[in-house]
Amino acid sequence: MRTIHAPKTRAQLRYRRHVRVRRKVSGTAERPRLVVYRSLRHMYAQLVNDETWTTIVGVSDASEGLQADGAGKVGRAKGTGKLLAEKAKAAGISKVVFDRAGYRYHGRVQAVADGAREGGLEF
C-alpha cells in the first residue's frame, strides 16, 4: 500500500540537495571548502576544513571592509567573495573547493564565486 507524503518545504528540498553535493565535496587543510549561505537579505561565506571540522575564515556582506562591486545584493555578494579571498590569502590559502550548499549556481551564489576568483582563489 502506498502512503501519501506531505509536500516537502523549500528548506527540506535544499537540505537534500546540499547533502547530495556534500557527498562529493570535502575540504582539507590544503584545499578548504568554500561554503555559501544565502538568506533573503544577506550572503555569508566561509572556508571550512572538514578534517578537523573548523572554520578557517568567515565573512558576510555585513563585514567590515566590504567593498560592494556593483549595485544591490549581487554587488554585495561579489564584494563578499573578494573579501573572503583577501582574508584567505592572508591565512595562506590559495586553492579551495566550492560548495554551493544546495543553491543553484546562479545570481548571488555565482557572484560570490566570481568575486573569490577575482580575488585570487583557485577552484
Side-chain angles (χ1 to χ4, degrees):
M1 178 172 216
R2 298 177 86 195
T3 58
I4 299 174
H5 297 283
K8 303 275 192 268
T9 65
R10 290 169 63 111
Q12 288 171 323
L13 293 170
R14 184 189 78 81
Y15 178 75
R16 287 181 64 181
R17 285 191 304 270
H18 192 190
V19 169
R20 231 176 11 244
V21 169
R22 288 285 290 119
R23 273 192 221 124
K24 300 172 188 163
V25 176
S26 181
T28 63
E30 300 81 35
R31 194 176 175 119
R33 177 170 55 101
L34 191 167
V35 61
V36 296
Y37 175 72
R38 187 188 72 175
S39 74
L40 290 177
R41 289 187 182 199
H42 296 288
M43 201 71 194
Y44 305 88
Q46 59 185 0
L47 296 179
V48 177
N49 178 353
D50 289 313
E51 294 172 338
T52 59
W53 290 26
T54 55
T55 298
I56 301 165
V57 175
V59 297
S60 77
D61 61 1
S63 297
E64 279 188 39
L66 180 85
Q67 302 269 325
D69 189 357
K73 292 191 278 189
V74 175
R76 286 200 326 259
K78 194 165 188 180
T80 302
K82 286 184 179 180
L83 182 62
L84 182 78
E86 182 181 306
K87 289 188 176 190
K89 290 286 190 186
I93 297 166
S94 61
K95 290 186 177 185
V96 297
V97 58
F98 189 73
D99 177 7
R100 62 189 175 90
Y103 301 110
R104 284 175 37 193
Y105 186 77
H106 167 271
R108 290 189 285 155
V109 174
Q110 183 177 356
V112 170
D114 292 344
R117 277 193 203 99
E118 286 180 21
L121 289 182
E122 291 178 42
F123 288 38

